[in-house]
Every structure is written in structure tokens, then in C-alpha cells.
């Protein structure tokens, strides 16, 4: 695929990807070259390159993949997880940004194949009463992509067995916020397990929380 002229919108999205990767590193959600993120861009997507540390990323190093997953010529190789990102964006019209990281507590639970139960009302930011674990498959594989997509199934986040976590949202900033909250809930759950286990919220209470979340935040004002 030939390199196309870059619009102001695409340039902004490239800058957002760099910003999110730097924030994940500075906030301890990632170390080294682990983790990746992507954002919908026109008919295709932009994704972080493979094996580049956050401090070395530039807007120009972000990789554009077309609707068939074909990268532009003369670009860096895309993240090895590009199939997972593409599959999510293809099947989830409500998702614009995808963030994947190996945050500490989330990865501890993922390596134990332990879902996060309704330990705190903020578990609800995941889009469900629990945060589930996608089955293990080799990183970068089609099998992993399918497992993650199936586990998300209408939700906004999940753990990835023996791997890490992934979050999606209507924006990259939103996906990062969910990933941060997932890590917080993973830490809280881990802590409760160390002192005898949590007292969980009921299904009815989590249903009420889901309704409350739909009304949370500033109301939209008509122009």
C-alpha cells in the first residue's frame, strides 16, 4: 500500500498514540517495549510499531494499516498484536481506541487465571459485573485475537491469561482510563485476597451501578 497524504486528523491521532504510550510507561502500566495501542483512522487503523521503547516513538513511527490489514510501504513493522487490535475495531463499532498493557496487578491475576469479581463498584467500568480472563494463546496469534474478542463480548476490558490486560473505548484517552482503573481494581482484589478475601457486591447492586454509570458525568447540553 502506498503512503497517502496525511490529514490533520491523522496527525492528531498519531500524536495521541505516542502520548498514550508515554503515559502508560510513566504511570507504571508498561515496562520496556511491552504493550501497544491502536486507534481507528478512516477505513483503517493506526497502531504502535513493534519493539520500540516509548521514549523513541514519534508520530511518524506509528503504522497505518488499511481495511485489509496491509501496512503502508516504507513504514516500521506494526505491533505483533495487530490482528487483535484489528479484530476488535472490525467487530466493535463502539470502539475507537484500544489499549493493551502488562500492568503489574492485572498481570498477576492474569497469570493465575483469576477473574476480578464484584469487589468494588468501579469494576463496573469494564462494562460488566466482573472482569473476565481470556484464555491463553501465543502472543500475536489469530487464536489470541479471537479469544480476546470473544471474552470482551460487549464489555470494555478483560484480562489476558499469562499475558496482561486490554481495554477499549470511544477514544484512546477513554481506553487508557479504563486500563488504569482495571489495574486499580486488580490491586484492590489482590489486597483483599491477602487478608481473607473480599465481601462482594451482589448482582442486584452491580445492576444498579451499571444504570448509574450511564447517567454519570456532565450532561450533554444542546447548542
Amino acid at each position: 500500500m502506498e503512503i497517502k497524504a496525511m490529514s490533520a486528523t491523522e496527525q492528531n491521532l498519531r500524536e495521541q498514540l505516542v502520548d498514550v504510550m508515554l503515559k502508560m510507561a510513566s504511570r507504571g502500566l508498561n515496562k520496556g517495549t511491552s504493550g501497544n495501542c491502536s486507534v481507528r483512522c478512516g477505513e483503517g487503523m493506526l497502531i504502535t510499531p513493534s519493539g520500540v521503547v516509548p521514549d523513541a516513538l514519534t508520530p511518524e513511527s506509528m503504522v497505518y494499516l488499511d481495511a485489509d490489514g496491509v501496512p503502508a510501504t516504507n513504514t516500521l513493522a506494526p505491533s505483533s498484536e495487530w490482528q487483535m487490535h484489528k479484530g476488535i475495531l472490525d467487530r466493535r463499532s463502539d470502539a475507537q481506541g484500544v489499549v493493551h498493557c502488562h500492568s503489574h496487578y492485572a498481570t498477576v491475576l492474569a497469570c493465575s487465571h483469576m477473574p476480578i469479581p464484584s469487589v468494588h463498584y468501579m469494576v463496573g467500568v469494564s462494562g460488566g459485573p466482573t472482569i473476565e480472563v481470556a484464555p491463553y494463546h501465543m502472543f500475536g496469534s489469530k487464536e489470541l485475537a479471537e479469544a480476546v474478542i470473544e471474552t470482551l463480548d460487549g464489555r470494555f476490558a478483560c484480562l489476558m491469561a499469562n499475558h496482561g490486560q486490554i481495554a477499549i473505548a470511544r477514544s484512546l484517552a477513554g481506553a487508557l482510563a479504563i486500563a488504569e482503573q482495571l489495574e486499580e481494581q486488580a490491586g484492590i482484589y489482590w489486597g483483599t485476597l491477602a487478608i481473607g478475601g473480599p465481601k462482594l457486591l451482589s448482582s442486584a447492586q452491580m445492576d444498579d451501578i451499571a444504570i448509574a454509570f450511564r447517567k454519570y458525568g456532565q450532561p450533554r447540553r444542546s447548542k
Side-chain angles (χ1 to χ4, degrees):
M1 183 181 68
E2 295 298 324
I3 297 176
K4 57 186 179 59
M6 191 182 301
S7 67
T9 297
E10 180 176 336
Q11 177 66 25
N12 179 261
L13 292 174
R14 287 172 176 271
E15 292 169 359
Q16 287 182 42
L17 286 168
V18 175
D19 181 60
V20 167
M21 289 297 289
L22 289 172
K23 284 178 177 175
M24 283 200 288
S26 67
R27 297 173 187 180
L29 297 179
N30 265 337
K31 294 185 183 298
T33 61
S34 66
N36 36 71
C37 54
S38 67
V39 65
R40 197 184 300 278
C41 182
E43 296 299 315
M45 72 175 188
L46 288 164
I47 190 166
T48 48
S50 178
V52 181
V53 294
D55 286 346
L57 293 172
T58 65
E60 292 71 31
S61 64
M62 301 301 105
V63 184
Y64 179 81
L65 302 181
D66 68 16
D68 296 318
V70 178
T73 56
N74 300 317
T75 62
L76 296 176
S79 165
S80 60
E81 303 288 10
W82 71 267
Q83 293 182 98
M84 179 174 70
H85 288 259
K86 185 177 185 301
I88 290 170
L89 292 175
D90 283 349
R91 299 191 203 181
R92 292 288 297 268
S93 60
D94 59 330
Q96 299 297 317
V98 181
V99 166
H100 163 54
C101 60
H102 300 173
S103 57
H104 181 78
Y105 289 108
T107 303
V108 167
L109 296 181
C111 288
S112 301
H113 296 204
M114 294 180 67
I116 302 174
S118 54
V119 62
H120 188 283
Y121 73 87
M122 286 300 286
V123 166
V125 300
S126 70
T130 59
I131 299 172
E132 298 300 311
V133 184
Y136 175 79
H137 292 282
M138 181 69 178
F139 73 89
S141 66
K142 290 183 179 178
E143 292 79 9
L144 177 60
E146 288 297 323
V148 169
I149 292 165
E150 183 177 339
T151 303
L152 284 172
D153 189 26
R155 301 189 185 198
F156 305 118
C158 71
L159 300 175
M160 299 163 61
N162 305 93
H163 193 145
Q165 60 138 307
I166 191 163
I168 67 177
R170 296 185 183 276
S171 67
L172 267 173
L176 175 60
I178 291 173
E180 287 187 284
Q181 189 56 237
L182 191 159
E183 173 65 5
E184 177 71 7
Q185 296 310 308
I188 289 170
Y189 182 43
W190 180 87
T192 65
L193 292 174
I195 57 173
K199 302 298 183 184
L200 300 179
L201 295 169
S202 68
S203 295
Q205 287 170 325
M206 291 304 292
D207 287 343
D208 289 341
I209 290 163
I211 294 169
F213 274 161
R214 296 188 196 114
K215 303 174 183 177
Y216 181 77
Q218 297 297 314
R220 293 184 180 180
R221 294 186 174 89
S222 58
K223 295 182 179 179

